[in-house]
Amino acid sequence: MERGVVADFFFRISDSDLWYSFWHTPIAVGSAALSLILIVGAGFAPFIAPFNPFDLATLDLLDSNLPPTWQVGGDPRYWLGTDDQGRDILSAVLYGSRISLLVGFASVALSLVVGVGLGLVSGYMGGRVDAIIMRIADVQLSFPAILIALLVDGVVRNIMPKEVHEELALYVIIFAIAISGWVQYARTVRSSVMAEKVKEYVQAGQVIGLGAWAIMWRHILPNILGPVFVIATLHLALAIITEATLSFLGVGLPPTTPSLGTLIRIGNEYLFSGEWWITIFPGAALVLIALSVNLFGDWLRDAINPKLL
Amino acid sequence: MSQLLIDNITVEFPGRKGDFIAVESVTLDLQAGEILGVVGESGAGKSTVGNAVIGLLQKPGRMIQGEILLDGNRIDDLDENLMRALRGKRIGMIFQDPLTSLNPLETVVEQLIETIDLHLKVGAKAARKRAIDLLGQVGIDNAEVRCDQYPHQFSGGMRQRVVIALALCAEPDVIIADEPTTALDVSVQAQILDLMRGICRDRNVGMILITHDMGVIAEVTDRVAVMYHGRLVELGKTAQVLGQPKHEYTKSLISAVPRSDRRIDRFPLVTYIEDVGDMPDIDLDAHWLGQAKAYEKNDGPLLKLTDLSMRFITRHSIFPSKRQFLTAVDEVSFDIEHGEVFGIVGESGSGKSTIARMITGIYQPTGGKIEFAGTDLTALKTAKEINPWRRQMQMVFQDPFSSLNARMRVADIVAEPINFHKQAASKEECREIVNDLLEIVGLGKVAARKFPHEFSGGQRQRISIARALATRPRFLVCDEPTSALDVSIQAQVLNLLKDLQEELGLTMMFISHDLPVIRQMCDRVMVMKDGKLCEIAATEDLFNNPQHEYSRHLLDLIPKFGAS
């Protein structure tokens, strides 16, 4: 029965109910596989993509607005056609997804850290600390997330010169999306903490004499991570869509580092002149990412706790 | 012919890791007007038998063998619609928790009328009249008025009476009662058992009473079936089974029930239950643990409480005059001497757990003093001042399932207090101490690498004890340490606590609602009611000659069992 630490870890995973449920839910396996393909594709874009859409030297205006390969006039080099600058759509989508996913993961990580931290403190301390944090959360919830993101972006845009802003656009948008998302983590964590802190294992820690931080981090936090992961997964899809929305509205990432939203906006202008592929393929990539991540998140929610949310 | 015949049924629950047989070849029969007790410990399959009869086996559980006959007609193969018509009409049900078996959004009479009308179709007026009659019959005073109230306006015992009235709505032939009194205090339990006894006799209704409590079995049943691991091990007249048990399991089960009539040194060795290692040959006096004895002795009692009070705010307001409080503990004073086992007994809500939590520092008292070894703990403010005292007192909690952090390994759980209070010089020493502690509580050092969910309730309670001992305390608070455990496991854990108390010279505060357990464990006892102290007496004095009226009342209510 004795196993090494690593072997034991893998045994516990492969023996868990979650693992079993995962392999017996086709939608979970499918959405996880699709997410993985998209994430790997986006992550390794520089190695996979046939062209580098940012390398102006390789662009040729003669190749602009070519339709996908299978259509009349298509070029076998450009599978999904090209845009008005002669950029390969497939490469642009791969690079764009990379930026979209980067913004998504980074803003989710940031809201998670802020939200979980504040939720822990709020739920464990209670009283005045809790009241202050939760009132801030309430105020923030009364504004739509997209409005807050627009606000943050607008403020930064006005107080910084244009060149600096272009450089910082990525960080600004990550910050803007993160700030609009922390409330959900904080509220969920707070309610879980309030349920956990009256349990006897927490009281046992108090009897030992452990301080509030030790109890929060070592005892309560590991027991409330389940719902946090569910929210994070669903939030990832939402963050990617929010970023796309902002970029589509022209307040997100600049055309020099185009995300999926920027690509859709650029392509949108050509939609009615017949060059549908410029906007449809980035759009399809966005739908696939959001859908697969969301489906995976849905399964995770059901598998961890059917009563949650 | 018997009213209900459960003929050779087997129930299985298909699972990921093979099928689990919950009930195996059980045959029971129930005569009209009799109460048949089904007794067993958790996992014995007794509730599954009850659920199989009413066709409410939890999915994916299924009956794979046998049949169930009601008045000679097979009912286990009926389809869901017919079964639903049968439930409530011919088979009544009483469940454990009266809080959840009533709909909080409907008045009591509405729920009764609904059931009566559904099964008897007598019209609203007649149904209401019958509902009020029934409530009167189950002992609800002023039923005319009270029937229009909501369930939350009734106490636990009254709610259970309403549930019984619901079960009687359609004049059923058979009633299945699954742990009907487990959620109730003893004083209420006695009344409810009386009521059920009367109903069965007067209406000639047969009842299957499922319980884990031998006292309940002795009190009301005519015959008793003993179940163990899904099998029926013994069936017979109650007096005979309890008096001269034939099967080994029944014998150990009965010997494990704490006696209320006299004190015995240790519970007899109970066989037929989960194996635990014996206490290893560790010379505790020379061992790390035994050094707890080296605490400085102070003059006077170890623990002295003076006018200790605790109020919880029940209504907040920024104006102090508008705040409302619940006084959980009201100016209680008592001393605990060095080396004694001091018991606190009382019904739920009497404030006994609150006292334990104030002493161990989970709650800050709103008034009074706690002096431990001559030092006033309520006067200490910083963690640095308090922690050396924290180390000297530890606590074993009630619920074995929530008192251990599910995400930590047993080794880490037990090591945490050692490391926090810097009781070990090195990691190796700490690991050795943890292994020894686990050996001492009878789990063995293999337990260290596992997680809490891999253990049963009794084993988890042992881990809890190991954790409490890990600071080398001299004062141990046990808050209902065995009330969530089966009776045979309880006997083992109580034996362990007694052994440790004697060998380590611990002073112990033992809280329980169970008087027989108190009698077996404690030197002196305090009786509490509604946050107030009723009586403090030496245990034998209390049991032989209770002074306070409430103490006498509590003693009268102990189900008489084991006097044979």
Side-chain angles (χ1 to χ4, degrees), chain A residues 52-69:
Chain A
N52 181 355
F54 302 116
D55 186 358
L56 296 175
T58 64
L59 298 184
D60 187 346
L61 275 181
L62 288 177
D63 290 334
S64 66
N65 291 343
L66 289 174
T69 315

Side-chain angles (χ1 to χ4, degrees), chain B residues 1-6 28-32 69-72:
Chain B
M1 186 176 59
S2 52
Q3 206 167 34
L4 180 74
L5 178 65
I6 298 169
L28 291 173
D29 65 306
L30 180 69
Q31 308 297 331
L69 302 146
L70 183 65
D71 284 333

Side-chain angles (χ1 to χ4, degrees), chain A residues 15 17 200 203 208 219 223, chain B residues 16 357 399 405 416 421:
Chain A
D15 194 47
D17 290 339
E200 288 177 342
Q203 298 190 341
I208 291 167
H219 291 273
N223 282 289
Chain B
R16 221 178 99 190
R357 282 167 169 69
D399 180 5
N405 185 345
E416 187 170 41
H421 290 288

Side-chain angles (χ1 to χ4, degrees), chain A residues 2-5 8 12 14-17 20 199-201 203-204 206-211 218-220 222-223, chain B residues 16-17 357 360 362 387 390 393-395 397-399 402-405 407-409 416-417 420-421 449 451 467:
Chain A
E2 286 292 305
R3 285 181 222 102
V5 177
D8 186 58
R12 287 208 305 128
S14 63
D15 194 47
S16 68
D17 290 339
Y20 180 86
K199 290 198 179 162
E200 288 177 342
Y201 74 89
Q203 298 190 341
Q206 292 168 339
V207 171
I208 291 167
L210 299 179
R218 292 184 46 198
H219 291 273
I220 297 181
N223 282 289
Chain B
R16 221 178 99 190
K17 292 174 179 169
R357 282 167 169 69
T360 50
I362 297 171
N387 277 343
R390 288 269 162 281
M393 48 171 94
Q394 282 299 305
M395 184 154 165
F397 293 86
Q398 172 175 5
D399 180 5
S402 76
S403 62
L404 301 173
N405 185 345
R407 306 274 166 185
M408 281 168 83
R409 279 174 205 277
E416 187 170 41
F420 180 78
H421 290 288
R449 288 169 47 78
F451 283 87
R467 172 180 61 190

